[in-house]
Amino acid sequence: MKKSALNINLMLGMIISCGFLANVNGEELAYVSNEKDNTVSVIDVEQHKVLRKFEVGQRPRGLVLNHDGTIAYLCASDSDSIQIIDLVHETVVGDLPSGEDPETIALHPNGKTIYTSNEDDALLTVIDIATRQVVTQIDVGVEPEGLAVSPDGKLVVVTSETTNMVHWIDTQTYQNIDNSLVGARPRSAKFSHDGKQLWVSSEIGGTLSVFDVNTRKIIHEFGFEMAGVHRDKVQPVGVELSRDGQTAFVALGPANHVAVIDVSSMSIEQYLLVGRRVWQLAFNHDQSKLLTTNGVSGDVSVIDVVKRKVTHSIKVGRYPWGVVVSGAP
């Protein structure tokens, strides 16, 4: 090997090692999928800046971390695969079979099973990570999108955008045990941390439905109104719930706001102005910050959760879609 090549390799090794050591020492890194650029942006959450980008498959959207935050699973929708990303080296190291056009993804609490929705085929695909094999595919409604697994791992739910339903599926038998009607074009689903509630956003309906998981009945439904924002612009998508169960945050799409909801009173407390067409949300680990992906403006907004204030805007790639945070325990 030539001396110059050796020096370059040594420098790259040092960069990778330093990045990894910083991460295990408490650095929080956010990973944002850029749908139009086929890249993932890496953000230093504390410094509010993009450190670098790396290339992935075509039209990256949903992503999820494994339990120790060393691996990310990414829906490369137009590549028809779920890519396995080694976050230490920030490289794609393999893929999982996903069926056509995977868009969203969920990981079972056991860390061994992944679920993905196949929008074009009206299927929920169940994948075993260790063997990289499809376990089964389950027929659901037309254009399945949102996914969530209950904290006890007994249920996986999928929303179907055209059927306007939530499908409740037993993770042991793979049987669809119930179907619940919601507002038009349901997009995201999120279980509360205690597993007692399920929150489902309906984009075209402009509503947010809260279910009692035991009865699988809607116990509350939100509509959203903001001064100066036309009703047609209010299109709820991403939902995040605080760990203490007190607060919910809802991304309102082209309304360019995040709604803040008091869970105990089921009331909307305020709206926070973020970037254009806000899609998805993710907390950092102590939930002091909430990150939003803003598709049209191509940036990430950082919300101070305690102050309920947007503090930073971080420019990323074109049409940021998904976001996860790894690093600090």
Side-chain angles (χ1 to χ4, degrees):
M1 182 181 293
K2 292 182 180 180
K3 186 175 181 180
S4 59
L6 178 61
N7 288 340
I8 290 171
N9 286 338
L10 286 172
M11 289 174 65
L12 288 172
M14 289 174 67
I15 290 170
I16 291 169
S17 297
C18 289
F20 175 64
L21 289 173
N23 198 28
V24 299
N25 285 332
E27 181 184 48
E28 284 190 311
L29 300 177
Y31 299 90
V32 177
S33 58
N34 300 306
E35 188 176 0
K36 298 289 187 180
D37 285 346
N38 302 330
T39 62
V40 169
S41 295
V42 184
I43 296 173
D44 183 315
V45 176
E46 180 65 27
Q47 298 297 319
H48 309 113
K49 66 179 182 180
V50 174
L51 301 176
R52 52 196 169 267
K53 296 179 184 179
F54 59 91
E55 294 184 355
V56 292
Q58 297 180 42
R59 202 181 182 193
R61 290 189 279 183
L63 72 166
V64 67
L65 298 174
N66 70 343
H67 290 335
D68 65 11
T70 58
I71 297 290
Y73 301 100
L74 170 73
C75 290
S77 298
D78 286 354
S79 297
D80 294 333
S81 72
I82 294 173
Q83 295 188 318
I84 305 168
I85 301 173
D86 175 355
L87 293 181
V88 176
H89 302 95
E90 293 173 354
T91 56
V92 177
V93 295
D95 61 86
L96 300 172
S98 64
E100 293 186 7
D101 191 28
E103 183 170 351
T104 57
I105 190 171
L107 181 68
H108 192 280
N110 65 15
K112 300 176 181 179
T113 304
I114 272 182
Y115 305 90
T116 191
S117 55
N118 301 114
E119 193 169 44
D120 294 344
D121 296 329
L123 292 171
L124 172 68
T125 298
V126 184
I127 306 160
D128 180 78
I129 295 173
T131 63
R132 301 191 184 182
Q133 298 291 319
V134 172
V135 176
T136 188
Q137 290 186 306
I138 303 164
D139 290 321
V140 290
V142 179
E143 289 190 287
E145 166 97 4
L147 288 168
V149 185
S150 61
D152 62 10
K154 294 181 179 180
L155 289 171
V156 58
V157 298
V158 58
T159 66
S160 54
E161 295 178 283
T162 299
T163 313
N164 300 331
M165 280 186 173
V166 177
H167 309 285
W168 305 75
I169 295 165
D170 186 306
T171 59
Q172 295 297 312
T173 65
Y174 306 121
Q175 296 299 307
N176 186 352
I177 60 175
D178 205 353
N179 302 291
S180 303
L181 280 170
V182 288
R185 197 175 171 86
R187 292 297 300 265
S188 295
K190 192 79 175 182
F191 280 96
S192 59
H193 290 272
D194 61 11
K196 294 180 179 180
Q197 294 178 348
L198 177 73
W199 294 58
V200 178
S201 63
S202 295
E203 184 178 26
I204 302 304
T207 59
L208 177 72
S209 301
V210 183
F211 285 87
D212 179 291
V213 172
N214 285 333
T215 63
R216 298 189 289 278
K217 302 295 184 184
I218 294 174
I219 57 175
H220 195 87
E221 188 168 84
F222 292 93
F224 304 94
E225 293 183 3
M226 286 161 283
V229 178
H230 193 277
R231 175 68 184 79
D232 290 346
K233 296 288 186 181
V234 180
Q235 299 176 15
V237 186
V239 180
E240 278 293 338
L241 303 173
S242 64
R243 197 176 294 118
D244 60 13
Q246 295 181 10
T247 313
F249 297 86
V250 188
L252 298 179
N256 306 334
H257 283 76
V258 170
V260 183
I261 296 173
D262 180 86
V263 175
S264 60
S265 64
M266 288 291 178
S267 61
I268 299 169
E269 293 187 317
Q270 66 187 106
Y271 296 99
L272 303 174
L273 179 65
V274 291
R276 295 174 61 199
R277 199 173 184 94
V278 54
W279 282 114
Q280 304 294 338
L281 311 169
F283 284 113
N284 69 335
H285 284 76
D286 67 6
Q287 297 197 339
S288 61
K289 297 178 181 181
L290 182 70
L291 278 62
T292 79
T293 56
N294 311 314
V296 173
S297 54
D299 59 359
V300 168
S301 297
V302 181
I303 296 171
D304 183 311
V305 173
V306 175
K307 295 181 179 179
R308 306 283 174 83
K309 179 181 179 181
V310 176
T311 60
H312 295 82
S313 174
I314 306 167
K315 198 70 177 176
V316 287
R318 292 186 301 156
Y319 282 75
W321 200 98
V323 55
V324 291
V325 179
S326 178

